[in-house]
Amino acid sequence: MKRERKWHNILPLGDLVSGDVTPARLGRLDLAVYDTEEGVFVSLARCTHQGANLCYGYFDGFAIECPLHQGLFDVRTGKPLAAPATRKLRMLDCRIADGMVQVLR
Amino acid sequence: MNDEVLTPISQAMKEGVITRAELRQLMRRSNFAGFLHLLKFIVVLAITGTLVIVSFDTLWLIPAMFAHGIIVVHHFSLQHECCHYTPFRSRWLNEVVGNYCGFLLVIPNKYFRYEHCNHHTFTQQKGYDPELIELPISLSRYLWYLSSIPYWYAQFEALIRHVFGRISKSEEEFIPVEERRAVIVEARTYFALYLLIIAGSVALDWWGALWLWWIPMFLGEPVMRAIRMTEHVGRPNVTDMKENTRTNLVTRPMRLLCWNMNYHAEHHYASSVPFHALPDLHRRLTGFVHVEKRGYLGAHIDIISQIVGRTPRADATGSEA
Ligand code: FES
């Protein structure tokens, strides 16, 4: 039977770093929470190239650059924008509710 | 899903050496800083180029071409920065300048970028780091490496092989399948342009490229080989970034030429930090990286001491990979 997805709190809104990427966890999953002008987006924190943690990367407003080889991803869609990143980032549905950043999982 | 690899910067942040806010500040890119540094570099290049021209038909020609060659081969430092997309804010500018440098030095830019990725992932790991320079087993091997003959052989061999559409087994490790075609096209484009320049030189009987580019480049390359040796050669073949990379403290003019890449351990710690912020990162990472205070000369004294057996060989500690 398919498990029903539900919303999980991952980060108090007050801990979200404005205009930057903030690390968060959900169980054993490392997540990256991006504060952009178009709202908040959440992805798995591991780079799809060789697994570096994107939370240590350079964030310029809508693109996150991997700290290891400077692969680039659009954080709104997870789309890889520059080599050596070629595979999409896994994005999670997210929302702000009750003063928390929540993801659907 | 991949497991997280412990990048040096994640290690530094977990150890509290640097905060996210500080790192974010250091990683900021600036077209202004990039262009200003490039302007200074071009002025130096123009001065040495002029020296070559005015010393024509005199005995000073060879020393002038050697001096000019030292500057020419330092385009590598800029290309290296560009492959990390750090000297300029705009990515496309890094691509354009990286290709200009790569074309000048016969280091196709896309190919270099992929090779360099694995150098950062597997720094100093024998059999995995595609840029690893072995600690020479004798002084004659040390001089052979510095002669640049093995270097140029490897560069031209790779270029020609790619022109013929062949990717080696070891290159398959770092060039993704979907990019192999692009690497081959890049090599063919560079090669065609070299042929065009040679044909143009013959047709016009104008040999500026020979005197201001090729001969100086070959004369200057041993200096670049010597500098590149100081980054990792003689450091242990271990994964710990505090051990496997050497930062060399050098003079301001040298820092200008090498785009601060003497702060090599800091660069490996956080390769998204642009050249202009590396001195600052160096101050923050004091005690966390291996620093050779005597500079490039000191690094070579260390390397030679290990070769002749005055100090234990760093590669005797073995590879962790
Ligand atoms: S691990 Fe992210 S680009 Fe290589």
Side-chain angles (χ1 to χ4, degrees), chain B residues 66-84:
Chain B
F66 177 60
H68 184 52
I70 293 173
I71 314 302
V72 169
V73 296
H74 272 91
H75 278 90
F76 174 76
S77 305
L78 173 56
Q79 181 182 14
H80 167 261
E81 271 288 293
C82 287
C83 101
H84 287 287

Side-chain angles (χ1 to χ4, degrees), chain B residues 113-187:
Chain B
R113 170 140 170 71
Y114 282 113
E115 181 192 67
H116 200 63
C117 282
N118 269 25
H119 167 61
H120 272 262
T121 311
F122 302 111
T123 309
Q124 279 292 78
Q125 305 304 300
K126 285 188 188 179
Y128 296 88
D129 176 355
E131 292 181 11
L132 188 141
I133 306 167
E134 297 270 4
L135 176 64
I137 52 166
S138 63
L139 276 180
S140 57
R141 301 301 294 183
Y142 167 80
L143 293 173
W144 174 242
Y145 180 79
L146 286 183
S147 74
S148 309
I149 295 169
Y151 167 77
W152 283 118
Y153 176 79
Q155 289 305 107
F156 283 109
E157 189 273 336
L159 180 75
I160 303 295
R161 196 161 30 72
H162 295 159
V163 167
F164 282 99
R166 288 203 295 273
I167 302 284
S168 73
K169 269 265 164 285
S170 57
E171 289 166 348
E172 284 175 6
E173 295 292 323
F174 56 82
I175 308 173
V177 181
E178 55 270 56
E179 286 285 76
R180 288 180 193 159
R181 184 81 211 144
V183 165
I184 288 166
V185 170
E186 177 185 62

Side-chain angles (χ1 to χ4, degrees), chain B:
Chain B
M1 188 182 68
N2 289 317
D3 285 335
E4 178 186 344
V5 291
L6 191 66
T7 54
I9 198 62
S10 52
Q11 186 182 329
M13 286 177 73
K14 278 176 184 154
E15 289 170 4
V17 183
I18 192 164
T19 65
R20 168 73 197 166
E22 289 170 331
L23 180 64
R24 183 174 156 77
Q25 191 60 30
L26 289 168
M27 287 192 295
R28 284 167 75 107
R29 312 291 154 80
S30 154
N31 279 343
F32 177 75
F35 277 121
L36 186 65
H37 200 99
L38 185 59
L39 184 69
K40 292 179 193 168
F41 185 76
I42 288 173
V43 167
V44 179
L45 190 70
I47 291 170
T48 54
T50 307
L51 283 180
V52 173
I53 293 166
V54 299
S55 61
F56 232 84
D57 290 331
T58 75
L59 281 176
W60 290 102
L61 181 60
I62 296 289
M65 282 196 297
F66 177 60
H68 184 52
I70 293 173
I71 314 302
V72 169
V73 296
H74 272 91
H75 278 90
F76 174 76
S77 305
L78 173 56
Q79 181 182 14
H80 167 261
E81 271 288 293
C82 287
C83 101
H84 287 287
Y85 295 99
T86 43
F88 305 103
R89 190 186 165 104
S90 324
R91 279 220 160 202
W92 68 269
L93 262 175
N94 292 295
E95 290 282 3
V96 170
V97 176
N99 268 294
Y100 151 72
C101 299
F103 180 71
L104 211 63
L105 300 174
V106 201
I107 307 174
N109 202 45
K110 191 180 276 289
Y111 172 78
F112 174 64
R113 170 140 170 71
Y114 282 113
E115 181 192 67
H116 200 63
C117 282
N118 269 25
H119 167 61
H120 272 262
T121 311
F122 302 111
T123 309
Q124 279 292 78
Q125 305 304 300
K126 285 188 188 179
Y128 296 88
D129 176 355
E131 292 181 11
L132 188 141
I133 306 167
E134 297 270 4
L135 176 64
I137 52 166
S138 63
L139 276 180
S140 57
R141 301 301 294 183
Y142 167 80
L143 293 173
W144 174 242
Y145 180 79
L146 286 183
S147 74
S148 309
I149 295 169
Y151 167 77
W152 283 118
Y153 176 79
Q155 289 305 107
F156 283 109
E157 189 273 336
L159 180 75
I160 303 295
R161 196 161 30 72
H162 295 159
V163 167
F164 282 99
R166 288 203 295 273
I167 302 284
S168 73
K169 269 265 164 285
S170 57
E171 289 166 348
E172 284 175 6
E173 295 292 323
F174 56 82
I175 308 173
V177 181
E178 55 270 56
E179 286 285 76
R180 288 180 193 159
R181 184 81 211 144
V183 165
I184 288 166
V185 170
E186 177 185 62
R188 287 175 180 165
T189 310
Y190 276 38
F191 192 72
L193 287 173
Y194 293 137
L195 290 184
L196 198 69
I197 290 171
I198 292 170
S201 300
V202 173
L204 300 172
D205 196 20
W206 185 79
W207 294 98
L210 183 70
W211 299 107
L212 287 164
W213 174 11
W214 296 320
I215 296 177
M217 179 174 73
F218 289 119
L219 288 176
E221 189 57 38
V223 175
M224 182 47 69
R225 289 301 96 208
I227 291 173
R228 299 255 14 230
M229 280 187 97
T230 66
E231 297 168 349
H232 304 285
V233 179
R235 297 306 303 156
N237 300 104
V238 297
T239 51
D240 187 352
M241 220 31 88
K242 288 175 193 154
E243 296 297 329
N244 65 17
T245 305
R246 189 190 278 112
T247 273
N248 298 282
L249 300 188
V250 300
T251 58
R252 274 182 94 89
M254 269 323 292
R255 291 209 329 252
L256 167 74
L257 284 189
C258 75
W259 291 71
N260 283 337
M261 211 33 60
N262 57 299
Y263 296 116
H264 207 70
E266 291 80 356
H267 164 68
H268 271 265
Y269 251 85
S271 55
S272 291
V273 170
F275 72 94
H276 52 84
L278 283 176
D280 201 357
L281 183 61
H282 169 70
R283 278 186 286 278
R284 286 166 210 254
L285 289 180
T286 303
F288 272 82
V289 292
H290 178 83
V291 177
E292 174 52 70
K293 292 203 171 78
R294 300 168 297 175
Y296 293 147
L297 204 60
H300 277 273
I301 291 170
D302 179 24
I303 292 166
I304 292 170
S305 304
Q306 294 184 38
I307 294 172
V308 299
R310 285 183 56 158
T311 52
R313 290 179 67 92
D315 58 0
T317 47
S319 189
E320 277 180 3

